[in-house]
Amino acid sequence: MRLDFVTLMAITATNLCMLSAALPLIMGRGAGTAARWVQASLLLQGLAWAAIIASSYAWDQTLSTVSMAANSLAQWALFEALAIWLGPRPGRRLVQALVVAIPLGYTLGFSHYAFRVGWANLLLATLLLAVARATLYPAHPAHSVDRRWRLLLMGCLATMAAFTAARGVLGAFTDAYPSFRTPHPVNIAAAVAANVTLVLGTVAVLVAWRDEAEQQLRTLAMTDPLTGLLNRRGFESQGQALRQRAARQRLPLAALLLDLDHFKRINDAYGHEAGDRALAWFARLAQSMAGPHDTVCRFGGEEFGVLLLHAQQEEAQRFDQRLRERLQAESAQALGFPIDYSAGAALWHGGEEDLAELMARADAALYAAKEQGRRQLAMG
């Protein structure tokens, strides 16, 4: 069976355009930013193939330069999606530089065929490898990511990088590739590979999108919608991990329970909307007081929990003091009325004491603080 290169390119362009139109329908309006970047990447790739095909019939330099620019931007869009899914990726500046250099060098050297083919294809191969490397670089610890889709996507990108580099070498250093439509075995194989990797790459990004959607659901299940803090379930999950880290590294750990004083009076006097504003503002303030390894949550109602790593009694008292000072200085102006709170704190005893036991002692201390007149910290 004879394979026609232009027909293969047209099929690839059609498939890309159809996928870029279908993905928004599959992913829905709730798709995250990473999914939107992937959709843009597929659309740009479809534009790139369509423009290079059309360039053989009219406006050769303009349309082929558009093709180079669209293909480069497509890889940049995929890189941005990976940065969202996996955390910050290495090579961002290289990717950005190549996105600019590829179409710019191509159009400036357009009159010299060997130069423009070698420049565009070899640099595009480098760009593809940079994005492929981004799939392999370890994911950020906060991102729970399936390694299999990353390997599949890396394989697709590396395959296309190899064929793209081969076309660059043929065009720049031999006479075997006088036109992008030349039915050279490498050219035909590259067109077939483009269709195969399109299918496999789409499978990879759909799995990545599924992982993202699952992560969003997990986040929603563990987040308080009003304050953006962890809810009780999230606190128990992260708190257990923090306690295990403290045990493993033999670090001190302090737990505090904070309860806004006379919160019902605020709702009665100023309305529930004002009460919600107070809760959200207090949550932001408490979170800003915590360190990067600490955990803050809203247990429910007007009660908040805090776990402070590396904290003994002095550090717990200092956290409480700083938070109270900020409340006294800022709450009346920020909310239109002052707020204060009672607090109970407990220090982790180490050994086998679990999170529930630690928080129970902090709760008993909170009860003592209320019994002693509120607006104070009691140690349990």
Side-chain angles (χ1 to χ4, degrees), residues 35-243:
R36 299 302 183 198
W37 278 116
V38 169
Q39 294 166 14
S41 177
L42 289 172
L43 182 60
L44 286 165
Q45 288 181 65
L47 174 62
W49 283 97
I52 198 68
I53 294 170
S55 69
S56 61
Y57 302 102
W59 303 319
D60 187 10
Q61 181 174 355
T62 299
L63 289 176
S64 56
T65 300
V66 167
S67 177
M68 296 300 109
N71 209 345
S72 303
L73 287 169
Q75 304 313 316
W76 175 66
L78 181 56
F79 184 89
E80 291 298 315
L82 290 170
I84 295 171
W85 279 330
L86 305 175
R89 303 287 84 194
R92 175 179 293 275
R93 291 186 178 181
L94 173 62
V95 169
Q96 292 173 338
L98 289 170
V99 167
V100 174
I102 290 170
L104 182 62
Y106 180 88
T107 194
L108 291 177
F110 188 81
S111 60
H112 194 294
Y113 178 81
F115 171 81
R116 79 172 191 253
V117 172
W119 175 274
N121 283 280
L122 292 174
L123 263 63
L124 183 57
T126 303
L127 177 57
L128 287 164
L129 288 175
V131 180
R133 176 174 178 255
T135 66
L136 288 182
Y137 195 79
H140 190 278
H143 297 69
S144 177
V145 180
D146 189 337
R147 189 167 179 263
R148 290 171 295 182
W149 72 258
R150 293 193 289 135
L151 291 175
L152 179 58
L153 186 57
M154 182 276 295
C156 292
L157 291 165
T159 298
M160 290 312 302
F163 280 114
T164 303
R167 288 195 297 191
V169 170
L170 287 175
F173 303 108
T174 74
D175 296 326
Y177 186 54
S179 165
F180 78 91
R181 301 176 64 177
T182 301
H184 189 280
V186 169
N187 219 18
I188 297 295
V192 173
N195 279 280
V196 173
T197 57
L198 170 60
V199 174
L200 296 178
T202 301
V203 170
V205 298
L206 284 173
V207 174
W209 168 69
R210 181 206 64 188
D211 285 353
E212 179 190 20
E214 290 178 351
Q215 181 61 44
Q216 289 174 342
L217 288 175
R218 286 193 293 269
T219 299
L220 286 173
M222 296 194 298
T223 303
D224 173 57
L226 175 63
T227 64
L229 296 178
L230 294 172
N231 59 19
R232 184 182 291 270
R233 178 186 296 179
F235 183 79
E236 290 174 354
S237 175
Q238 291 201 15
Q240 290 290 4
L242 202 62
R243 190 203 68 83

Side-chain angles (χ1 to χ4, degrees), residues 296-377:
V296 182
C297 90
R298 181 189 178 198
F299 274 134
E302 61 271 22
E303 190 171 71
F304 296 82
V306 182
L307 283 178
L308 302 175
L309 193 62
H310 303 285
Q312 298 279 16
Q313 180 172 334
E314 182 180 350
E315 287 78 18
Q317 291 171 334
R318 187 180 302 121
F319 174 89
D320 175 74
Q321 181 182 358
R322 289 189 295 119
L323 183 55
R324 289 184 190 280
E325 289 174 352
R326 290 283 301 275
L327 280 178
Q328 293 172 5
E330 301 174 22
S331 63
Q333 181 177 358
L335 301 171
F337 49 86
I339 60 174
D340 209 332
Y341 67 93
S342 302
L347 305 179
W348 180 55
H349 287 158
E352 297 300 319
E353 183 182 34
D354 63 17
L355 182 65
E357 293 169 331
L358 176 63
M359 298 311 297
R361 291 195 290 113
D363 188 49
L366 172 61
Y367 181 80
K370 291 181 178 180
E371 287 292 304
Q372 295 165 13
R374 300 180 185 269
R375 299 187 178 184
Q376 59 186 288
L377 169 69

